[in-house]
């Protein structure tokens, strides 16, 4: 029998965090990297009341900023924005060609059996339960996540991981960790809602981006420490 969305999640209204100013980690004439807080949409959402998002907040200060990639609503961390259409085209091409290297930090339930490994499971939309995604070995798109265990807390039975997605599927990290039997703490969509209370949020943060600067041609590596 299919697992239905938790009623508490389905009923939650969009309540973006207060606009207390942008956390711009890097900025130049070609691009900028901004820390997106958890609970804020990267771009305007569908439906009424979902116009407030990181892109709109950035454009109020940097008018030529354009989106290049996205982070889930509940994921925090580094979001890369281009300045102008040409830089957007170049950076989007780098993402499509997997020349942008992303690292995430996550806290997951349980203890993983190996210090590092790969999760190679194809993913597809779970249409009856949108916006959920699911592992689909027949029709799913190839999806690969590499992970490294950074530590384990026996008291809470939680592990801290560095995650390296080679592909960028919707909810990839969340579905892959759930499929491995180690859901990300605070994940009301794919985890156990009863164990999310003390987290207060999804414990997933985009903490590093590495790529070649589209104008200078020099390597650029930007870090953003996780707030948890």
């Amino acid at each position: 029998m299919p697992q239905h969305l938790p009623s508490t999640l389905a009923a939650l209204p969009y309540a973006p965090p207060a606009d207390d100013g942008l956390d711009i980690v890097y900025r130049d004439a070609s691009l900028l990297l901004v820390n997106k807080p958890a609970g804020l949409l990267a771009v305007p959402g569908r439906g009424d009341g979902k116009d407030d998002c990181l892109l709109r907040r950035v454009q109020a200060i940097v008018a030529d900023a354009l989106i290049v990639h996205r982070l889930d609503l509940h994921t925090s961390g580094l979001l890369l924005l281009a300045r102008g259409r040409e830089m957007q085209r170049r950076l989007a091409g780098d993402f499509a060609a997997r020349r942008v290297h992303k690292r995430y930090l996550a806290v997951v339930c349980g203890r993983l059996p190996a210090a590092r490994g790969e999760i190679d499971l194809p993913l597809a939309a779970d249409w009856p339960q949108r916006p959920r995604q699911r592992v689909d070995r027949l029709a799913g798109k190839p999806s690969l996540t590499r992970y490294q265990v950074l530590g384990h807390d026996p008291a809470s039975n939680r592990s801290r991981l560095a995650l390296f997605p080679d592909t960028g599927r919707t909810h990839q990290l969340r579905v892959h960790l759930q499929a491995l039997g180690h859901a990300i703490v605070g994940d009301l969509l794919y985890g156990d809602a009863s164990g999310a209370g003390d987290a207060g949020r999804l414990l997933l943060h985009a903490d590093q981006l590495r790529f070649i600067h589209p104008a200078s041609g020099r390597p650029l590596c930007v870090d953003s420490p996780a707030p948890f």
Side-chain angles (χ1 to χ4, degrees), residues 1 3 11 36 41 47 65 76 81 83 85 94 96 106 143 176-177 187 191 197-198 200 219-220 222 227:
M1 180 177 296
Q3 178 184 357
K36 186 188 84 67
L41 289 166
S76 60
L81 297 102
R83 300 193 62 179
R85 293 292 180 189
D94 288 339
S143 308
H176 272 177
L177 269 299
D187 193 342
D198 62 332
L220 182 62
V222 179

Side-chain angles (χ1 to χ4, degrees), residues 42-43 67-71 78-81 95 102 104 209:
V43 297
I67 203 74
V68 176
H69 68 121
R70 304 181 187 187
L71 293 175
L78 290 172
L79 196 71
L80 174 63
L81 297 102
F95 269 93
K102 300 166 285 184
Y104 291 74
L209 281 174

Side-chain angles (χ1 to χ4, degrees), residues 87-101:
M87 289 300 130
Q88 184 190 42
R89 184 189 67 79
R90 294 186 192 181
L91 289 168
D94 288 339
F95 269 93
R98 301 182 188 175
R99 291 191 291 265
V100 179
H101 302 281

Side-chain angles (χ1 to χ4, degrees), residues 111-130:
R111 183 168 193 163
L112 282 75
R116 62 182 68 239
E118 293 184 351
I119 310 170
D120 186 1
L121 294 171
L123 301 179
D126 188 354
W127 292 110
Q129 300 193 83
R130 288 175 291 179

Side-chain angles (χ1 to χ4, degrees), residues 5-13 130 188-189:
L5 293 179
S7 58
T8 53
L9 180 63
L12 284 178
R130 288 175 291 179
L188 297 179
L189 195 57

Side-chain angles (χ1 to χ4, degrees), residues 6 38 40 73 77 85 111 140 145 149 164 175 192 196 202 226:
L40 180 67
L73 168 64
R85 293 292 180 189
R111 183 168 193 163
T145 301
V149 178
F164 308 90
V175 179
D192 181 0
L202 176 72

Side-chain angles (χ1 to χ4, degrees), residues 144-218:
L144 177 64
T145 301
R146 294 178 293 114
Y147 68 86
Q148 178 184 353
V149 178
L150 303 177
H152 177 258
D153 177 18
S156 63
N157 191 28
R158 293 174 176 176
S159 298
R160 199 172 185 86
L161 306 182
L163 301 172
F164 308 90
D166 282 11
T167 49
R169 310 301 180 201
T170 301
H171 296 176
Q172 175 177 318
L173 300 178
R174 299 164 69 179
V175 179
H176 272 177
L177 269 299
Q178 179 211 35
L180 199 64
H182 299 280
I184 298 175
V185 173
D187 193 342
L188 297 179
L189 195 57
Y190 298 102
D192 181 0
S194 65
D198 62 332
R201 55 155 294 182
L202 176 72
L203 297 189
L204 179 63
H205 179 81
D207 76 332
Q208 186 183 88
L209 281 174
R210 290 188 295 112
F211 56 97
I212 300 299
H213 194 285
S216 70
R218 296 180 179 178

